Amino acid sequence: MALAFDEFGRPFIIIKEQEQKTRLRGLEAQRANISAGKAVARILRTSLGPKGMDKMLQSPDGDVTITNDGATILEQMDVDNQIAKLMVELSRSQDYEIGDGTTGVVVMAGGLLEQAEHLLERGIHPIRIAEGYEMASRIASDHLEHIAQKFDFGMTNIEPLVQTCMTTLSSKIVNRCKRSLAEIAVKAVLAVADLERKDVNLDLIKVEGKVGGKLEDTELIYGITVDKDMSHPQMPKQIEDAKIAILTCPFEPPKPKTKHKVDIDTVEKFQTLRQQEQKYFDDMVQKCKDVGATLVICQWGFDDEANHLLMHRNLPAVRWVGGVELELIAIATGGRIVPRFQELTPEKLGRAGLVREKSFGTTKDKMLYIEHCANSRAVTIFIRGGNKMMIEETKRSIHDALCVARNLIRNNSIVYGGGSAEISCAIAVETAADKYPGVEQYAIRAFADALDSIPMALAENSGLQPIETLSVVKSQQIKENNPYCGIDCNDVGTNDMREQNVFETLIGKQQQILLATQVVKMILKIDDVISPSEY
Amino acid sequence: MAIEKILKDEASEEKGERARMASFVGAMAIAELVKTTLGPKGMDKILQSTGRGHQVTVTNDGATILKSLHIDNPAAKVLVDISKVQDDEVGDGTTSVVVLAGELLREAEKLVAAKIHPMTIISGFRMAAECARDALLQKVVDNKENAEKFKSDLMKIAMTTLSSKILSQDKEYFAQLAVDAVLRLKGSTNLEAIHIIKKPGGSLKDSFLDEGFILDKKIGVGQPKTIENAKILVANTAMDTDKVKIYGARVRVDSMSRVAEIETAEKEKMREKVQKIIAHGINCFVNRQLIYNFPEELFADAGILAIEHADFDGIERLALVTGGEIASTFDNPESVKLGHCKLIEEIMIGEDKLIHFSGVEMGQACTIVLRGASQHVLDEAERSLHDALCVLSQTVNDSRVLLGGGWPEMVMAKAVDELARKTPGKKSHAIDAFSRALVAIPTTIADNAGLDSAELIAQLRAEHQKEECNAGIDVISGSAGDMAELGISESFKVKQAVLLSATEAAEMILRVDEIITCAPRRREDRM
């Protein structure tokens, strides 16, 4: 453990509490790191593709999650190893950036690490490997652009978008009704999309789930749902042409933030105070009524008296609505969030064609639907499903599908899936490798081999002979000069992904390759791991 | 060199076959557990809680049993979850759904052992479930148009549901009770309006449905015990000391006399409030919060019946029943809607005095008073009745009805069998397995009733080859009988929910090939 010694052989203490730390150096460190990275990739490998399996994860509190979303698996796994944590980060950044392909990126990184290990054994310096990988990733990314296709869609022609979302959904448990879910996702994205700026704010799409019913009952609501009910049981359950006052001030007596005391020392004071209080409540309700509101949505609670006054004046109200929901309601109805009663004006009211309360099942579950809003730029996807886990998983799947649709609107280039893009890249990288003199050539070639790991995993998960299938497809690509041949996971009978309608976004794929390369480079550059020892 | 540890210390990881085994075993264990409660001759379970007092529950309601279990196996948790959802959504069939999911997994295990890929099994199961549902859809009877027939359908469903419960002795009586209660709801599924009061004593047969409303409260001292043509004000307001709500208000005085003055002012305020309430022209006042002695006395003086501390549900129901609105301010008596009823009286049930509102305007709400030998019996009776009410209210909305007694399973099994024969490829094995799992439900019913299940099922299967067959298990005579004649019916919605959620759950568990259990959260040591 010692780092340096003086002339008598006594160690210099350089690191604080040096004896209590374990340390790995040089090749040892790289090997250990690579094996940790590979172990993570191995866990995810079986989840890849339409026939991938799920993982069951039990959290420290005993809750069960079943998923095959790479990012979720890694996040819930609660890993301890530092390198494994890097892989988790990798998957997460793919999730933030693209939203889909979180499993693929980790498998890719795993493949790269595996190849790097072989090269290290041959005595190639890790930095040279890293540089080779970097070059190769640039070649691959350029090649992807080369084989990518633009495809056209419009508000009326959403079919291509739906097809892409279906590819994403087909690997999830919801693939039973992938068609309807894909349509929902695409319609939701188009509803909120800003086609001129080519951007989509996914925050405008709210994904709500409620246990019960079946997956087929999942619906897209052009409006907002709020998991609340009217504050008074006898308020009307349905309001048409609602004018909504959106308030962030409670229907309660004023509560100045500075400390104060109201001293009561005479009977008169007591009585005036009482009258003041009553007037205050009355004023609050009256103000809402005066501006013409027919529905009050409030972030805070109501006093009993205020509640009755509202009921009495025939002004339905909803209380304890969360901040995020309040904002969405404001966006959807075109209203303004009003922080004080004094500032309430008719222009600040939101408008909605229909507000209704809907109850579910045998228990007293109620939700408030706000529909036909003035500005339908906020939509809600309302998921129903057999149980909680199913709903959670559907939420994640829908999220992926939404991200894919968004990416397509941002950039409408696609590459074909089923491993075809990877195989094609592998061929391109392989041929390019020969042009590089020097040791990097080996690294570039290794990169090509690593690219094969994704189609290989796909074939393996689909129950095909991995090596045989891959070599057949590869030779077919070269022979026919057709970069659209991939692994036929669903046993349809054709290798041509154009016929199978399996495609993915170009940026998603590029990002996968770049991110994976970056992380692998980082791992390779580590040659010293110092960690506090177990005890 | 050794592979680095990736997970935390106490975390465990199970892969491939082992993971699948763990989840199969867990799920099947749960299914076995509730299996014996299935069917009209199913047995009950005693559950003892670990909490203080070791409370005992006797039940045969699947959801209740599973809810009370502490389960560690993740796959078992999935099953518990579907049972809970079934309970929330349709209210009945909570046992069936678990048993069916368990059987599906049992069959799947055999297929996996025969080297069929789980994904193939899943796609087979899906096809089979779809086919089974279509088969049911073809056989459903919808009597919505015919009110008379529809009512008898409801009656049959209620009896079928109740026959597996503790109420089976008096099932006709209770079925009538439940049907009456649900029909009063007029299509709403809000079971809140049906109030169930449990009073130990008497026998189950003494239970009754009351058209009016019964509030489990006492009438204040010195106030009239019966009121005819009552005008009721339902309120939620403070009747103790009406505090000043403005924040920071406090009383600061410099002499005793001032205190007295303020106290009088407070009293005066209360008196004013009471006067205002009385000005509504009421003769009954029900409040959700406490009523102190002083206002109570004032009410008594005015000859008004004041009821305090009716809980929130009670208030809401009372408002529903009498058609009044819940008031919290009393300044505009002319615009507050008062509730009305013909007669308020104090009645005795067993030892307890209750307040009975009869001749109410809106017939939506009603009260069921359950009587029984002990609290356990009452609890179980309530659960059973709740199941029946849930099923009925769902059936009122979706009036499609099927026969019971294992008939739907046999119909589905037949259709699925045919599908299996027509399907090429490995999937057909899975479809075949699905049909076997379906048959397991009537088998279990027969087994639980102590009948020769193998013989019976074979007979049923033969019967079902004929067109328009109504054969099911007649548990009473122990043979295959005509379910239409015996009047055993089930709601289509329940059956569909059982089929779909069981398949979904089985699919979910089958898809798993790795279980990662995180290290349990450490409790803080408080030593």
Side-chain angles (χ1 to χ4, degrees):
Chain A
M1 188 58 215
L3 301 167
F5 303 91
D6 64 3
E7 63 261 44
F8 305 109
R10 284 176 307 208
F12 283 112
I13 306 294
I14 298 173
I15 304 169
K16 198 174 155 199
E17 292 176 348
Q18 180 165 291
E19 283 74 33
Q20 287 167 24
K21 297 208 159 106
T22 50
R23 181 156 188 241
L24 282 172
R25 308 188 55 187
L27 217 50
E28 278 292 281
Q30 267 135 4
R31 284 236 184 90
N33 292 342
I34 287 173
S35 76
K38 268 163 60 190
V40 174
R42 209 164 41 230
I43 290 174
L44 287 193
R45 201 180 155 91
T46 51
S47 289
L48 195 74
K51 297 267 163 108
M53 304 293 279
D54 288 4
K55 306 278 176 257
M56 191 183 262
L57 302 149
Q58 200 168 16
S59 80
D61 299 323
D63 297 332
V64 179
T65 311
I66 299 181
T67 180
N68 81 353
D69 180 53
T72 316
I73 297 173
L74 290 177
E75 229 153 273
Q76 303 257 329
M77 239 165 62
D78 197 14
V79 292
D80 207 21
N81 185 291
Q82 18 342 31
I83 299 302
K85 273 183 187 150
L86 274 182
M87 302 290 265
V88 175
E89 280 296 319
L90 167 68
S91 172
R92 197 180 294 158
S93 57
Q94 173 85 8
D95 194 27
Y96 285 155
E97 195 58 34
I98 308 296
D100 187 33
T102 49
T103 315
V105 68
V106 175
V107 174
M108 175 82 207
L112 286 174
L113 285 174
E114 197 172 335
Q115 294 299 332
E117 200 177 12
H118 294 315
L119 296 179
L120 283 177
E121 266 165 25
R122 290 194 185 174
I124 298 178
H125 193 271
I127 297 293
R128 304 295 288 270
I129 302 175
E131 266 161 26
Y133 276 3
E134 181 68 40
M135 287 175 202
S137 75
R138 228 172 294 136
I139 299 168
S141 153
D142 289 344
H143 181 71
L144 278 178
E145 239 157 69
H146 181 64
I147 59 167
Q149 292 190 331
K150 294 266 175 205
F151 84 153
D152 295 317
F153 60 89
M155 276 306 194
T156 44
N157 178 22
I158 59 168
E159 189 55 30
L161 285 176
V162 174
Q163 290 287 354
T164 320
C165 287
M166 272 166 69
T167 311
T168 307
L169 290 175
S170 63
S171 65
K172 316 279 179 192
I173 193 163
V174 295
N175 71 359
R176 178 156 49 96
C177 40
K178 59 180 173 188
R179 174 85 213 177
S180 62
L181 286 182
E183 272 172 21
I184 287 176
V186 170
K187 280 182 191 157
V189 169
L190 284 180
V192 302
D194 187 347
L195 283 181
E196 274 167 25
R197 274 197 314 122
K198 290 201 168 185
D199 200 7
V200 184
N201 184 1
L202 284 187
D203 289 342
L204 294 177
I205 302 174
K206 199 165 150 232
V207 183
E208 275 278 338
K210 194 120 208 160
V211 178
K214 47 188 192 300
L215 209 51
E216 283 84 351
D217 297 337
T218 303
E219 55 181 341
L220 175 67
I221 298 160
Y222 288 97
I224 305 287
T225 58
V226 188
D227 200 353
K228 291 277 177 299
D229 50 2
M230 296 289 182
S231 62
H232 195 288
Q234 285 163 329
M235 284 178 180
K237 308 280 183 227
Q238 187 161 343
I239 306 157
E240 276 165 28
D241 287 326
K243 297 200 181 85
I244 306 168
I246 305 160
L247 298 172
T248 52
C249 45
F251 274 93
E252 267 165 19
K255 214 181 237 183
K257 291 199 178 68
T258 37
K259 253 196 162 173
H260 72 289
K261 287 198 179 88
V262 182
D263 281 351
I264 303 171
D265 49 10
T266 60
V267 177
E268 290 76 52
K269 274 195 183 170
F270 181 78
Q271 273 161 353
T272 39
L273 204 58
R274 220 184 79 213
Q275 276 156 13
Q276 281 281 325
E277 183 190 292
Q278 269 174 353
K279 195 167 159 319
Y280 187 79
F281 279 127
D282 226 37
D283 280 354
M284 282 194 293
V285 180
Q286 195 55 44
K287 275 200 187 101
C288 299
K289 199 76 190 166
D290 280 346
V291 294
T294 52
L295 174 70
V296 177
I297 291 177
C298 184
Q299 196 176 11
W300 303 99
F302 300 162
D303 192 90
D304 282 344
E305 276 188 56
N307 202 0
H308 177 247
L309 277 172
L310 284 168
M311 163 72 198
H312 196 79
R313 299 275 170 87
N314 203 6
L315 193 60
V318 188
R319 57 182 154 183
W320 296 124
V321 178
V324 183
E325 282 155 346
L326 211 65
E327 248 168 60
L328 278 175
I329 293 174
I331 293 171
T333 60
R336 295 266 295 275
I337 297 175
V338 181
R340 250 171 300 198
F341 288 102
Q342 288 78 9
E343 284 164 25
L344 211 54
T345 56
E347 302 85 65
K348 288 182 181 168
L349 296 182
R351 272 155 219 279
L354 180 69
V355 178
R356 63 195 165 100
E357 202 179 271
K358 196 174 170 189
S359 54
F360 298 96
T362 59
T363 43
K364 205 175 64 171
D365 269 349
K366 282 179 190 148
M367 303 258 304
L368 205 65
Y369 282 55
I370 303 173
E371 288 172 302
H372 309 301
C373 300
N375 168 13
S376 63
R377 295 295 297 274
V379 295
T380 306
I381 296 174
F382 189 58
I383 299 170
R384 309 298 312 275
N387 57 43
K388 205 172 76 217
M389 286 162 227
M390 190 76 191
I391 290 201
E392 289 301 314
E393 179 69 0
T394 313
K395 269 189 189 172
R396 283 188 286 269
S397 313
I398 288 264
H399 167 78
D400 283 10
L402 289 176
C403 289
V404 168
R406 177 195 61 181
N407 293 340
L408 279 177
I409 285 174
R410 278 192 186 156
N411 180 353
N412 62 350
S413 306
I414 49 152
V415 291
Y416 286 86
S420 66
E422 282 87 356
I423 298 174
S424 170
C425 281
I427 297 169
V429 172
E430 182 96 46
T431 30
D434 297 340
K435 292 178 197 145
Y436 284 86
V439 188
E440 283 85 359
Q441 196 188 86
Y442 276 84
I444 296 173
R445 211 168 276 143
F447 191 91
D449 285 343
L451 276 170
D452 283 346
S453 64
I454 286 186
M456 195 97 97
L458 271 179
E460 220 174 291
N461 291 344
S462 311
L464 303 168
Q465 293 284 347
I467 297 175
E468 199 184 311
T469 322
L470 182 61
S471 52
V472 166
V473 173
K474 213 170 194 175
S475 70
Q476 196 183 351
Q477 277 212 6
I478 294 175
K479 217 187 293 162
E480 298 174 10
N481 197 13
N482 173 5
Y484 311 120
C485 290
I487 308 287
D488 179 18
C489 298
N490 292 323
D491 214 15
V492 181
T494 167
N495 272 338
D496 196 326
M497 288 300 136
R498 280 177 301 185
E499 281 169 44
Q500 287 209 18
N501 273 326
V502 178
F503 29 70
E504 290 171 62
T505 55
L506 170 67
I507 31 176
K509 264 279 126 54
Q510 277 181 328
Q511 198 66 237
Q512 253 182 19
I513 292 179
L514 294 180
L515 281 176
T517 316
Q518 266 174 34
V519 168
V520 169
K521 260 172 69 189
M522 185 147 70
I523 294 176
L524 283 176
K525 278 186 178 167
I526 301 169
D527 78 334
D528 201 337
V529 181
I530 302 169
S531 52
S533 133
E534 297 292 308
Y535 37 90
Chain B
M1 63 165 290
I3 291 179
E4 282 277 311
K5 253 198 342 223
I6 300 176
L7 298 166
K8 287 204 172 131
D9 268 353
E10 286 166 55
S12 68
E13 192 186 348
E14 283 179 83
K15 286 193 166 182
E17 285 306 304
R18 277 184 59 90
R20 214 165 280 138
M21 277 300 287
S23 46
F24 283 161
V25 167
M28 280 190 287
I30 291 292
E32 284 298 318
L33 191 77
V34 291
K35 209 171 171 180
T36 52
T37 64
L38 195 72
K41 298 273 159 121
M43 304 299 275
D44 288 5
K45 306 259 176 239
I46 286 189
L47 306 165
Q48 190 170 28
S49 79
T50 47
R52 199 186 299 160
H54 294 280
Q55 277 179 343
V56 172
T57 316
V58 184
T59 182
N60 81 353
D61 181 43
T64 315
I65 297 173
L66 293 178
K67 238 183 278 178
S68 331
L69 295 175
H70 295 282
I71 291 169
D72 208 27
N73 187 302
K77 279 193 182 144
V78 176
L79 287 195
V80 174
D81 209 41
I82 56 167
S83 157
K84 217 184 283 170
V85 173
Q86 178 85 8
D87 194 29
D88 288 347
E89 193 61 14
V90 285
D92 193 28
T94 50
T95 314
S96 317
V97 68
V98 176
V99 173
L100 184 58
E103 287 302 328
L104 283 174
L105 287 174
R106 189 192 305 277
E107 293 296 335
E109 191 192 10
K110 286 182 209 154
L111 294 179
V112 170
K115 297 272 182 287
I116 294 180
H117 194 270
M119 285 297 166
T120 317
I121 303 176
I122 287 170
S123 65
F125 277 5
R126 272 191 193 155
M127 283 170 70
E130 206 51 42
C131 159
R133 198 168 75 113
D134 290 343
L136 282 189
L137 271 173
Q138 278 173 11
K139 298 270 184 179
V140 288
V141 186
D142 193 343
N143 284 332
K144 189 141 199 138
E145 306 306 318
N146 187 339
E148 197 59 32
K149 258 198 172 157
F150 183 51
K151 203 169 169 195
S152 87
D153 271 352
L154 285 183
M155 194 66 198
K156 282 181 202 159
I157 291 176
M159 296 229 291
T160 312
T161 305
L162 290 174
S163 64
S164 63
K165 317 272 168 173
I166 198 165
L167 300 174
S168 64
Q169 292 304 317
D170 312 305
K171 63 181 175 193
E172 255 170 70
Y173 183 72
F174 280 101
Q176 191 65 51
L177 214 67
V179 171
D180 283 349
V182 166
L183 284 180
R184 294 174 73 92
L185 289 178
K186 300 190 182 78
S188 110
T189 52
N190 187 5
L191 293 179
E192 293 279 306
I194 299 174
H195 188 202
I196 298 180
I197 291 181
K198 297 175 281 184
K199 286 280 165 207
S203 76
L204 279 173
K205 254 222 136 102
D206 296 332
S207 310
F208 61 92
L209 173 87
D210 196 281
E211 308 228 328
F213 182 78
I214 293 180
L215 198 64
D216 195 355
K217 285 281 168 285
K218 289 196 182 64
I219 295 178
V221 182
Q223 293 167 345
K225 296 283 183 232
T226 53
I227 291 179
E228 283 177 28
N229 287 331
K231 292 191 201 102
I232 308 161
L233 180 67
V234 186
N236 173 15
T237 183
M239 291 300 278
D240 35 11
T241 49
D242 205 359
K243 292 179 282 287
V244 175
K245 282 173 193 149
I246 292 173
Y247 181 72
R250 61 170 186 181
V251 178
R252 174 173 280 183
V253 288
D254 42 19
S255 71
M256 280 305 286
S257 57
R258 287 284 169 81
V259 177
E261 271 172 32
I262 286 180
E263 202 202 334
T264 346
E266 246 179 21
K267 263 197 179 159
E268 206 47 49
K269 186 182 167 195
M270 198 35 119
R271 191 190 300 277
E272 247 172 57
K273 193 169 182 181
V274 173
Q275 288 304 335
K276 272 188 204 155
I277 293 171
I278 296 173
H280 285 70
I282 53 164
N283 46 19
C284 175
F285 176 73
V286 185
N287 192 15
R288 186 172 85 81
Q289 300 174 22
L290 282 175
I291 303 178
Y292 268 23
N293 286 350
F294 175 63
E296 193 177 328
E297 185 196 326
L298 292 175
F299 282 124
D301 285 346
I304 290 177
L305 176 65
I307 300 164
E308 64 164 3
H309 215 211
D311 49 19
F312 203 78
D313 286 349
I315 282 285
E316 265 186 37
R317 282 201 200 100
L318 197 61
L320 255 181
V321 175
T322 59
E325 71 183 42
I326 301 172
S328 293
T329 57
F330 309 98
D331 293 325
N332 325 57
E334 64 283 351
S335 59
V336 172
K337 255 170 78 189
L338 296 179
H340 293 279
C341 81
K342 290 256 162 53
L343 181 70
I344 300 177
E345 57 182 341
E346 197 176 50
I347 52 166
M348 298 271 290
I349 298 177
E351 289 283 279
D352 296 304
K353 288 179 189 159
L354 304 165
I355 304 168
H356 180 221
F357 298 77
S358 56
V360 290
E361 273 184 358
M362 306 227 290
Q364 267 215 12
C366 58
T367 305
I368 294 174
V369 179
L370 284 179
R371 308 298 313 277
S374 76
Q375 199 63 40
H376 301 307
V377 174
L378 285 176
D379 284 346
E380 177 65 0
E382 189 193 356
R383 274 191 293 272
S384 315
L385 205 56
H386 175 254
D387 278 9
L389 290 174
C390 286
V391 175
L392 288 178
S393 68
Q394 294 294 333
T395 317
V396 170
N397 283 345
D398 183 349
S399 59
R400 287 173 289 183
V401 172
L402 295 165
L403 295 177
W407 177 82
E409 282 82 7
M410 294 310 291
V411 170
M412 288 191 274
K414 188 184 160 206
V416 172
D417 262 342
E418 270 161 29
L419 178 72
R421 254 175 266 147
K422 273 183 267 171
T423 313
K426 280 190 278 193
K427 278 181 210 160
S428 73
H429 291 286
I431 300 173
D432 213 24
F434 196 91
S435 122
R436 278 200 297 278
L438 281 172
V439 175
I441 286 194
T443 313
T444 314
I445 295 179
D447 276 340
N448 286 346
L451 304 173
D452 184 354
S453 61
E455 169 72 23
L456 252 177
I457 298 301
Q459 272 183 23
L460 277 184
R461 202 184 278 265
E463 286 280 325
H464 271 267
Q465 289 307 315
K466 298 176 200 154
E467 286 296 308
E468 297 298 317
C469 163
N470 293 333
I473 300 174
D474 181 357
V475 178
I476 314 296
S477 72
S479 60
D482 188 327
M483 290 295 121
E485 270 172 33
L486 288 166
I488 296 176
S489 294
E490 276 177 86
S491 152
F492 169 71
K493 196 162 177 195
V494 174
K495 271 288 155 227
Q496 173 181 284
V498 167
L499 181 72
L500 294 182
S501 356
T503 321
E504 225 164 62
E507 189 180 305
M508 209 145 156
I509 294 172
L510 263 175
R511 281 177 70 107
V512 171
D513 76 336
E514 184 157 342
I515 302 177
I516 298 169
T517 314
C518 289
R521 202 181 291 285
R522 291 265 173 77
R523 296 246 169 84
E524 294 296 317
D525 280 329
R526 294 205 193 88
M527 299 297 276

